[in-house]
């Protein structure tokens, strides 16, 4: 009886996974050219001071990221900024179908390339020099919740410094751009003490995507965080008030 229950549960879960849309569109050949991919990498904005953002632009479609961010090459032979980050072999980049790739994605934080994986339960990255305080990123997931785990050793060894669960969110209040099932992205900020050397972005393979992995801030991406804008506006108001007072005094 118990075995039968487990079997039915297994069939149900497998069915649930197969019934859901996947990140990679099946039977789709990329049409984007090598020059267009390199151009996308060059156009990608990376101008937020004090932070490093891995936006995955400039990588190929279904390309093993590998040494792209470590002074070397991706599986398909592209190179990016050398920021000392290496990805494990199953970590792949994916380009939006609307941009000529095979990605079932929309509204990605930095168009049009994201991180995903087709094998295993997570995509891992190593930062041999280590990093501290925290980092952030965007994700979109269906089928099952995703997760992120931070370790103080390479390849997930050593102590678990931090972890977070990433709830299913893929299509909350959104439509494609013009197409793409994974259209809703949430920011996640992770903080920890100690020095981190590896991070795993996990979930069900082909059912979760990640973008804009940001080091040096718990707010991902290129936008200056809202809190900073509040400070700028506050300073602006104080300066205006001081100027107005000085002007009134000088007229009196
Ligand atoms: Ca897009
Ligand atoms: Ca799209
Ligand atoms: Ca991107």
């Amino acid at each position: 009886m118990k075995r039968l229950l487990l079997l039915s549960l297994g069939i149900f879960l497998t069915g649930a996974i197969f019934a859901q849309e996947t990140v990679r569109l099946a039977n789709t050949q990329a049409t984007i050219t090598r020059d267009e991919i390199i151009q996308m990498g060059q156009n990608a904005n990376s101008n937020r001071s004090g932070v490093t953002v891995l936006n995955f632009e400039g990588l190929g479609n279904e390309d093993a990221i590998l040494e792209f961010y470590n002074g070397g090459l991706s599986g398909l032979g592209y190179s990016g900024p050398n920021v000392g980050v290496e990805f494990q072999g199953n970590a792949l980049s994916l380009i939006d179908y609307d941009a000529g790739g095979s990605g079932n994605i929309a509204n990605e934080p930095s168009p049009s390339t994201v991180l995903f994986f087709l094998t295993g339960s997570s995509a891992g990255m190593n930062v041999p020099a280590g990093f501290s305080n925290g980092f952030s990123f965007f994700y979109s997931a269906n089928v099952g919740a995703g997760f992120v785990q931070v370790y103080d050793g390479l390849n997930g060894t050593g102590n678990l410094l931090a972890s977070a669960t990433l709830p299913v969110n893929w299509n909350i209040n959104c439509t494609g751009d013009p197409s793409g099932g994974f259209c809703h992205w949430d920011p996640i900020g992770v903080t920890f003490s100690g020095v981190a050397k590896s991070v795993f972005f996990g979930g069900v393979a082909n059912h979760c995507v990640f973008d804009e992995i940001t080091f040096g801030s718990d707010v991902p991406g290129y936008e200056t965080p809202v809190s900073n804008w509040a400070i700028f506006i506050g300073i602006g108001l104080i300066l205006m008030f001081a100027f107005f007072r000085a002007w009134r005094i000088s007229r009196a």
Side-chain angles (χ1 to χ4, degrees), residues 210-230:
F210 304 86
D211 200 7
E212 297 203 339
I213 296 171
T214 303
F215 298 94
S217 174
D218 59 3
V219 179
Y222 302 109
E223 302 295 323
T224 304
V226 172
S227 54
N228 286 11
W229 279 112

Side-chain angles (χ1 to χ4, degrees), residues 54-57 94 108-115 210-212 222:
L54 310 187
N55 57 34
F56 305 107
E57 306 310 319
L94 184 70
E108 58 282 1
S110 50
S112 298
T113 317
V114 299
L115 162 71
F210 304 86
D211 200 7
E212 297 203 339
Y222 302 109

Side-chain angles (χ1 to χ4, degrees), residues 96 98 105-106 177 179-180:
D96 190 348
D98 297 309
I105 55 173
D177 67 345
S179 69

Side-chain angles (χ1 to χ4, degrees), residues 168-185:
V168 166
N169 65 346
W170 68 307
N171 60 358
I172 299 170
N173 297 329
C174 61
T175 53
D177 67 345
S179 69
F182 290 74
C183 56
H184 179 97
W185 298 74

Side-chain angles (χ1 to χ4, degrees), residues 141-156:
N142 71 354
V143 179
F147 65 85
V148 60
Q149 293 173 337
V150 185
Y151 293 88
D152 65 2
L154 294 173
N155 300 309

